[in-house]
């Protein structure tokens, strides 16, 4: 069986495009989880893009064992130097360098002649080879390039010593049959392809990244690139979990082997969603909350008679254990620890007490605690002390619903709602309680404004998201906010509560504590 290498770029193509700068600790946590998942290569970032990216690539590259770590670089000598420097202490380093090869990109973006592009690409690979053996070359916008030109570029970079050649569909333009055909063409027409690994890298602009990647694998690709939950530029990258499970469910079609531990898929998906603040849609293939739920009567009847009638994947395979117990305020530390272990969380000795108190607080609010609640709890329970803590808040709202004047077009008048609110918030800052009040356009806005006043800085709210963690009147609200202030990169904060205003306030305070 052929070996398929799994290349994860969640921390580069995924993170870079979100406008979120994950901090080093968060990136490290994702990287360690990717190692547990069993990916072969982790692209850690673009070291020349910022000093922060350099340090995080360097620190994580030093820490990871048993996996190839990779840094991105343009075909520019000083980028390659920075990349090599960041990877210097890695156990198994790789430089991923490349340049655009479509006529459109070469002419309009690079303003380079095709011959210059070939020379630049080969020179970059030769330069990268002075630092390390493993050098991957990406031919940006390869799918929209002239095929004969693509063959010329790849021929030269292989001569220059590239060990992997990557043929991306950078703008997600391909259909599966076309992309598979391109990969087959490269395999058959570029000399010495047997000496290198052929990599595929797809984007999801037309919703076909997974399908295109599978077509690429069928056509003979050795390595598939993608991100967890498919996060990434615009409509995202190939979802690695979808590729892995497509192969799993139809092994005979692909005849490839990899070293992914599928039981780590759900924990990895949750971690990436939690850390990036990008929610997984409930209907998302493989890892969506509804992916294994059966709602209609006919389906429920079928599943009860024979699971496989409507269930092509046993959720336990991706690490969603079937629930046997429901926890409550009467559950002890042992039961909580046991269930968390079953869900894949390993707790440090010192974390348990704090976590248990948070669990009891939650159990008082909502009586029955399900797995989704525990995941949400683990997502917000920071072991380290936060600079800002939400102590209390109260909100008075003045809801006012009025009918707008009758529209001229004959449509009925539309009801307009305005709600002004006044919030009083107390935060503990480095141990000291500080209270302030503000009015806002609705309760959440008023609470955020009161927090701004207490913090005494100008905060820009970039994103706010509120989701219900489970169903029913006592469902938990899970709030995520993305904020920035001054020169600080954007940060994400999270909060949970059965009270959605409290969840929002907690998320805002959590983010505030992370601002630099
Ligand atoms: O989509 C793309 O072409 C890329 C390259 C930098 C590999 O992300
Ligand atoms: Zn990409």
């Amino acid at each position: 069986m052929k070996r398929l290498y799994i290349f994860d770029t969640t921390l580069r193509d995924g993170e870079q495009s979100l406008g979120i700068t994950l901090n080093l600790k968060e990136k490290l946590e994702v990287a360690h989880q990717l190692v547990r998942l069993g990916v072969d290569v982790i692209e850690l970032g673009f070291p020349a893009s910022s000093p922060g990216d350099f340090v995080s690539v360097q620190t994580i590259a030093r820490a990871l064992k048993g996996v190839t770590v990779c840094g991105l670089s343009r075909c520019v000598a000083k980028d390659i130097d920075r990349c090599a420097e960041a990877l210097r202490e890695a156990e198994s380093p790789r430089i991923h360098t490349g340049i655009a090869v479509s006529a459109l990109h070469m002419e309009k973006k690079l303003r380079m002649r095709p011959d210059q592009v070939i020379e630049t690409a080969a020179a970059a690979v030769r330069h990268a080879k002075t630092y390390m053996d493993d050098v991957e070359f990406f031919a940006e916008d390869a799918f929209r390039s002239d095929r004969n030109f693509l063959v010329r570029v790849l021929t030269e970079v292989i001569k220059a010593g590239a060990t992997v050649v990557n043929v991306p569909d950078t703008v997600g333009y391909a259909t599966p049959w076309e992309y598979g055909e391109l990969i087959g063409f490269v395999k058959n027409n570029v000399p010495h392809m047997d000496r290198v690994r052929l990599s595929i890298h797809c984007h999801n602009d037309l919703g076909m990244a997974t399908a295109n990647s599978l077509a690429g694998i069928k056509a003979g690709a050795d390595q598939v690139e993608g991100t967890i939950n498919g996060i990434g530029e615009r409509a995202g990258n190939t979802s690695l979990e979808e590729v892995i499970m497509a192969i799993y469910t139809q092994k005979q079609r692909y005849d490839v082997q990899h070293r992914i531990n599928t039981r780590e898929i759900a924990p990895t998906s949750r971690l990436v969603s939690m850390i990036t603040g990008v929610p997984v849609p409930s209907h998302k293939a493989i890892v969506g909350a509804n992916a294994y739920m059966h709602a209609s009567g006919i389906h429920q009847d079928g599943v009860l008679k024979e699971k496989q009638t409507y269930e092509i994947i046993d959720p336990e395979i991706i690490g969603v254990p079937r629930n046997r117990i429901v926890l409550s305020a009467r559950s002890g530390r042992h039961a909580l620890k046991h269930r968390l272990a079953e869900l894949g969380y390993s707790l440090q000795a010192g974390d348990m007490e704090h976590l248990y108190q948070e669990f009891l607080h939650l159990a008082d609010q909502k009586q029955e605690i399900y797995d989704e609640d525990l995941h949400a709890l683990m997502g917000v329970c920071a072991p380290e002390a936060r600079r800002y803590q939400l102590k209390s808040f109260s909100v008075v709202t003045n809801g006012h619903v009025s009918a707008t004047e009758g529209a001229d077009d004959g449509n009925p008048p539309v009801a307009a709602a305005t709600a002004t609110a006044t919030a009083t918030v107390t935060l503990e800052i480095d141990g000291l309680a500080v209270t302030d009040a503000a009015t806002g356009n609705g309760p959440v806005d008023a609470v955020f404004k009161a927090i701004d006043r207490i913090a005494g800085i100008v905060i820009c709210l970039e994103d706010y998201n509120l989701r219900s963690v489970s169903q029913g009147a006592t469902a938990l609200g899970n709030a995520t906010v993305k904020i920035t202030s001054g020169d600080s990169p954007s940060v994400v904060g999270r909060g949970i509560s059965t009270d959605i205003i409290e969840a929002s306030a907690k998320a805002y305070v959590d983010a505030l504590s992370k601002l630099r």
Side-chain angles (χ1 to χ4, degrees):
M1 227 190 274
K2 180 182 160 145
R3 175 76 155 89
L4 178 68
Y5 295 88
I6 310 293
F7 179 117
D8 179 277
T9 183
T10 305
L11 293 174
R12 199 278 301 169
D13 220 350
E15 187 252 5
Q16 216 174 4
S17 63
L18 300 171
I20 297 170
T21 307
L22 302 184
N23 65 35
L24 178 57
K25 186 173 156 284
E26 291 169 330
K27 285 188 184 175
L28 202 54
E29 212 179 321
V30 171
H32 280 303
Q33 180 57 33
L34 291 169
V35 173
R36 279 193 285 279
L37 178 65
V39 303
D40 298 287
V41 187
I42 304 179
E43 188 160 52
L44 295 173
F46 181 2
S49 67
S50 72
D53 224 29
F54 178 88
V55 171
S56 60
V57 172
Q58 185 181 47
T59 313
I60 304 171
R62 256 186 219 137
L64 298 188
K65 304 288 171 227
V67 66
T68 294
V69 288
C70 173
L72 190 83
S73 132
R74 293 173 300 175
C75 284
V76 172
K78 64 176 182 4
D79 273 29
I80 295 171
D81 298 340
R82 284 294 275 169
C83 192
E85 175 59 20
L87 297 173
R88 197 157 49 89
E89 292 172 51
E91 183 186 75
S92 171
R94 174 184 297 177
I95 292 176
H96 188 191
T97 189
I99 192 164
V101 298
S102 64
L104 182 67
H105 277 236
M106 290 189 292
E107 209 179 297
K108 303 285 183 204
K109 187 183 84 175
L110 300 175
R111 296 182 197 287
M112 283 168 94
R113 280 179 288 101
D115 283 349
Q116 271 178 296
V117 168
I118 295 184
E119 275 160 36
T120 308
V125 171
R126 274 194 298 276
H127 188 58
K129 290 292 277 192
T130 62
Y131 289 111
M132 62 193 67
D133 182 53
D134 197 2
V135 175
E136 174 167 342
F137 173 81
F138 67 87
E140 191 185 359
D141 206 17
F143 182 74
R144 293 193 299 172
S145 68
D146 175 84
R147 290 203 175 177
N148 295 328
F149 179 66
L150 181 62
V151 168
R152 281 177 59 207
V153 178
L154 297 182
T155 305
E156 291 309 313
V157 295
I158 292 172
K159 265 194 218 152
T163 44
V164 184
V165 291
N166 177 9
V167 179
D169 177 19
T170 302
V171 292
Y173 191 70
T175 52
W177 45 95
E178 290 167 321
Y179 191 68
E181 213 252 310
L182 174 66
I183 296 305
F185 176 82
V186 167
K187 224 176 155 55
N188 294 326
N189 290 281
V190 176
H192 306 306
M193 281 305 296
D194 53 327
R195 294 189 196 158
V196 298
R197 284 185 197 155
L198 174 53
S199 188
I200 53 178
H201 178 117
C202 296
H203 280 263
N204 203 32
D205 299 66
L206 294 173
M208 282 187 272
T210 299
N212 290 345
S213 299
L214 292 169
I217 293 167
K218 284 290 283 177
D222 306 288
Q223 174 177 282
V224 57
E225 308 191 1
T227 61
I228 301 300
N229 299 338
I231 62 170
E233 196 84 65
R234 308 179 307 278
N237 287 58
T238 299
S239 288
L240 283 179
E241 68 278 4
E242 292 178 10
V243 172
I244 298 299
M245 293 314 292
I247 294 172
Y248 182 93
T249 49
Q250 305 233 38
K251 294 181 188 64
Q252 71 291 352
R253 277 187 197 233
Y254 297 96
D255 203 29
V256 292
Q257 58 179 3
H258 53 70
R259 43 169 219 172
I260 294 292
N261 176 359
T262 59
R263 286 179 196 270
E264 292 294 342
I265 287 178
T268 313
S269 162
R270 262 191 317 264
L271 182 74
V272 168
S273 169
M274 184 195 71
I275 283 183
T276 58
V278 180
V280 177
S282 53
H283 60 279
K284 163 88 174 61
I286 314 301
V287 287
N290 292 350
Y292 306 97
M293 291 206 179
H294 305 280
S296 87
I298 293 175
H299 288 204
Q300 288 176 347
D301 179 55
V303 169
L304 287 173
K305 287 176 176 146
E306 167 55 62
K307 259 194 320 197
Q308 287 179 13
T309 50
Y310 290 100
E311 203 170 276
I312 60 165
I313 297 169
D314 176 349
E316 293 203 15
I317 302 290
I318 65 147
V320 179
R322 292 192 190 276
N323 201 355
R324 286 182 299 279
I325 50 170
V326 178
L327 300 177
S328 71
R330 289 178 302 282
S331 307
R333 289 169 182 74
H334 182 243
L336 174 63
K337 198 171 173 187
H338 180 77
R339 187 65 194 151
L340 286 172
E342 280 183 337
L343 293 174
Y345 294 102
S346 56
L347 295 175
Q348 307 296 322
D351 297 347
M352 191 56 205
E353 199 44 47
H354 171 61
L355 185 71
Y356 187 62
Q357 294 312 320
E358 294 287 320
F359 164 79
L360 288 180
H361 178 65
L362 199 63
D364 280 343
Q365 287 183 341
K366 76 180 293 281
Q367 284 78 48
E368 292 187 326
I369 303 286
Y370 295 93
D371 289 348
E372 304 86 58
D373 302 319
L374 290 178
H375 289 310
L377 181 67
M378 292 306 285
V380 295
C381 223
E384 76 270 24
R386 293 277 195 230
R387 171 146 196 249
Y388 297 90
Q389 303 276 354
L390 177 69
K391 280 294 159 208
S392 62
F393 73 96
S394 64
V395 187
V396 180
T397 51
N398 170 21
H400 173 68
V401 181
S402 63
T404 57
E405 286 173 20
D408 299 340
D409 58 8
N411 287 328
V414 182
T418 50
T420 52
T422 307
T424 306
V425 176
T426 301
L427 296 190
E428 196 176 282
I429 310 176
D430 296 331
L432 266 177
V434 185
T435 303
D436 212 329
T439 54
N441 184 7
V444 172
D445 187 45
V447 165
F448 287 0
K449 288 201 168 115
I451 296 171
D452 289 354
R453 286 174 63 94
I454 296 173
I457 51 173
V458 179
I459 296 172
C460 168
L461 178 66
E462 294 183 331
D463 203 5
Y464 168 65
N465 186 291
L466 182 67
R467 271 184 311 142
S468 161
V469 169
S470 49
Q471 279 99 38
T474 58
L476 263 190
N478 189 343
T480 307
V481 299
K482 187 172 147 195
I483 60 170
T484 181
S485 177
D487 292 339
S488 171
S490 309
V491 289
V492 173
R494 285 170 289 274
I496 55 166
S497 172
T498 48
D499 174 337
I500 56 174
I501 301 169
E502 184 183 332
S504 308
K506 282 180 167 172
Y508 202 75
V509 173
D510 182 41
L512 184 63
S513 295
K514 294 178 183 169
L515 279 177
R516 270 192 234 137

